[in-house]
Amino acid sequence: MSPDLILLSARLLDPGTGHLLPHTALASHDGRLTHLGSDSEIRRLATPATTVIDLKGAVVTPGFTDSHIHPVSGAERTMGADLSACRDLDAVRAALAAHAEHLAPGAWLRGWGLDPNAFGDRPVAASSLGPVLDGVPFLIDLFDGHSALAGGRALELAGVTGPRRFEQAAEIVCDDAGRPTGLLLEDAACELVEAAAPKPTEAEVRARTAEVLRTMAAAGLTGGHAMDANGGGLATLAALEADGALPLRFRVAPWCQPGADAGAVAELIRLQGTGGRLWRVAGVKLFMDGTIDNGTAWLERPDCHGESTHAFWPDPERFSQVVAELHRAGVPTATHAIGDAAVRHVLDSVEKAQAQKDAPVRHRVEHIETVPDDTVPRFARLGVTASMQPTHCCEYTRADHTDNWSRRLGEERASHAFRCRDLWEAGARVVLGSDWPIAPFPPLGVMAGARHRRPGDLSRPPHGPEQALTPLQALQGITLNPAWVAREERVAGRLAVGHRADLTVLADNPLDVADADLAALPVLLTVVDGRPTHRAAHL
């Protein structure tokens, strides 16, 4: 059994202890680590068919896993104008005008990453963009992925002329005269206009997804917990793997929306375990609320606009019943819950499900942006994983609470935001992710944000520095803990014989690099299933 891959002259970092292992080399075969030892010991195992790489003292860690990411839907969503760097309306208008110059007559303009803070004191409405897109049908995703801004022509083509009622929490925002402003809140409203917009072909989505995944591999990602298997998502992953173009390992959680009947839930259960070598369905994604920025979160007290008072599921008890059914079937759930009332209801539902059947199912809650003190210890008590995206705090809130998110919550709740450290110290398993395309995916940036909690301009103050994670905690949140929540701790998350050969190789030890410098630490090599998916030119 000759090795497929040998790495020499390495520093092997154990995320469990934060110490370097006594070995300097490793070998893998058929996607698993087979040997750890000295350079001389491991070099002797090589055959002409073995890929041998001298790392020249670089640091090897278990492969970085993003615990909340949207690889396929995100690839499609980001095919339009990138507005994520626009900080004011002038920048938004300039970016849209530049993009519109290249549109064919009658073509739609799509955009993504629009930050509501760019509107300042003006309403988030199509009219606020001015005449730059007059007559152009446009649909722009706001950064949160839960809202969109549609122009008049797009609304006309979609037949949207006024308010509507939806079975789930959603809204076509209208002015006092009942005319749509262009702002669409939550999927049911956004999908009305999406249905009228041109769709990319399967080949275009596949090509764009492959491009994005290559970039992710170059950033050091070896895998992700994918929260999108809707539409053709699973087919896209299968096609990429068949073509040898899948450079990451994915654990996929398809969605369960309000209104799901017994047949829909049974189909989600049936899908579990299906997949290929590098991807499989494992879990179900649910939503308990929307977002604070939109006023669609579920809070125990209304936000400062009197909003965020309702659950995403019109009947929260039905949500609890679905969680219990999935729990009985051994299916882990991952529930989007941002507001304190939403988080509490998810934990209540898991507790009820556990009381009905004692099963070793590792449920999780996604985002957890604001929770009171009494909620924090319940995660550890119930064995529920806290899935956090610290760069959301960095990218979209401000230490002085002048951002839209903080203003809506008010000073008291904004001062207790994204409680990563409190949850960790209370004994919860904390996993880290980007929620890309909501925030950038590079895992070193995610870890850096968890450590410094500062925006892109690192000269600005941190938001809630007392909630920062230590360097070792941040590393564990992207290696050890994602393996645990996936019930893969015996095959992933550590550098050990028998574990997967999913590896991230860095120019230096991330535990020794300053918080402000971590995001720029060079990624020299990424290995998935024993196969290099990114390799620096000098290696």
Side-chain angles (χ1 to χ4, degrees), residues 77-169:
R77 184 186 296 268
T78 57
M79 293 174 79
D82 181 359
L83 306 176
S84 60
C86 299
R87 295 293 175 256
D88 55 42
L89 277 178
D90 287 342
V92 172
R93 292 166 182 154
L96 292 175
H99 201 78
E101 287 181 3
H102 304 287
L103 289 176
W108 283 58
L109 185 148
R110 300 300 302 266
W112 64 281
L114 180 59
D115 186 346
N117 289 299
F119 289 77
D121 294 330
R122 301 188 64 161
V124 180
S127 60
S128 297
L129 297 180
V132 64
L133 295 178
D134 279 353
V136 176
F138 69 85
L139 182 62
I140 300 169
D141 291 324
L142 272 70
F143 79 83
D144 60 7
H146 286 251
S147 51
L149 192 59
R153 179 61 177 150
L155 293 171
E156 179 185 349
L157 291 170
V160 177
T161 59
R164 298 192 190 184
R165 295 182 63 86
F166 299 98
E167 289 187 2
Q168 56 189 246

Side-chain angles (χ1 to χ4, degrees), residues 103-391:
L103 289 176
W108 283 58
L109 185 148
R110 300 300 302 266
W112 64 281
L114 180 59
D115 186 346
N117 289 299
F119 289 77
D121 294 330
R122 301 188 64 161
V124 180
S127 60
S128 297
L129 297 180
V132 64
L133 295 178
D134 279 353
V136 176
F138 69 85
L139 182 62
I140 300 169
D141 291 324
L142 272 70
F143 79 83
D144 60 7
H146 286 251
S147 51
L149 192 59
R153 179 61 177 150
L155 293 171
E156 179 185 349
L157 291 170
V160 177
T161 59
R164 298 192 190 184
R165 295 182 63 86
F166 299 98
E167 289 187 2
Q168 56 189 246
E171 181 182 358
I172 299 169
V173 177
C174 297
D175 61 20
D176 292 341
R179 295 184 297 263
T181 67
L183 182 59
L184 308 169
L185 304 180
E186 299 301 330
D187 283 349
C190 297
E191 286 169 359
L192 294 175
V193 183
E194 285 277 4
K199 303 290 188 298
T201 66
E202 290 182 10
E204 288 170 335
V205 172
R206 190 183 308 170
R208 169 62 179 159
T209 304
E211 175 190 11
V212 167
L213 297 184
R214 287 192 296 269
T215 309
M216 289 180 175
L221 278 175
T222 64
H225 297 171
M227 300 295 170
D228 59 350
N230 311 300
L234 295 181
T236 298
L237 295 177
L240 289 174
E241 184 169 56
D243 292 342
L246 187 60
L248 273 75
R249 187 187 304 275
F250 287 112
R251 181 176 188 266
V252 187
W255 290 10
C256 180
Q257 295 277 37
D261 58 16
V265 176
E267 176 61 13
L268 288 169
I269 294 171
R270 185 196 68 79
L271 278 173
Q272 302 301 307
T274 60
R277 182 178 177 96
L278 291 180
W279 67 277
R280 67 184 177 90
V281 176
V284 170
K285 169 75 179 299
L286 304 100
F287 294 82
M288 200 64 246
D289 64 353
T291 69
I292 287 167
D293 279 289
N294 278 348
T296 56
W298 187 17
L299 298 173
E300 294 179 338
R301 290 181 288 113
D303 66 22
C304 293
H305 295 273
E307 298 176 335
S308 288
T309 57
H310 302 290
F312 185 70
W313 286 60
D315 179 9
E317 183 53 35
R318 175 57 185 155
F319 168 88
S320 301
Q321 293 167 0
V322 170
V323 168
E325 186 172 352
L326 293 170
H327 178 83
R328 287 194 298 272
V331 178
T333 60
T335 303
H336 168 118
I338 279 177
D340 45 17
V343 175
R344 190 182 300 278
H345 188 81
V346 176
L347 295 176
D348 288 347
S349 299
V350 170
E351 189 166 20
K352 291 175 184 175
Q354 291 174 343
Q356 295 172 19
K357 180 178 181 180
D358 183 14
V361 184
R362 294 175 183 175
H363 300 286
R364 47 192 282 175
V365 181
E366 312 299 309
H367 310 311
I368 318 167
E369 293 184 5
T370 176
V371 288
D373 290 345
D374 69 310
T375 300
V376 171
R378 296 186 67 194
F379 281 82
R381 190 161 66 246
L382 296 172
V384 173
T385 294
S387 174
M388 310 291 287
Q389 297 74 47
T391 45

Side-chain angles (χ1 to χ4, degrees), residues 397-400 452-455 457-463 465:
T397 72
R398 301 170 188 155
D400 62 4
H452 61 55
R453 295 177 66 98
R454 295 176 184 271
D457 179 0
L458 296 177
S459 67
R460 294 170 59 188
H463 189 169

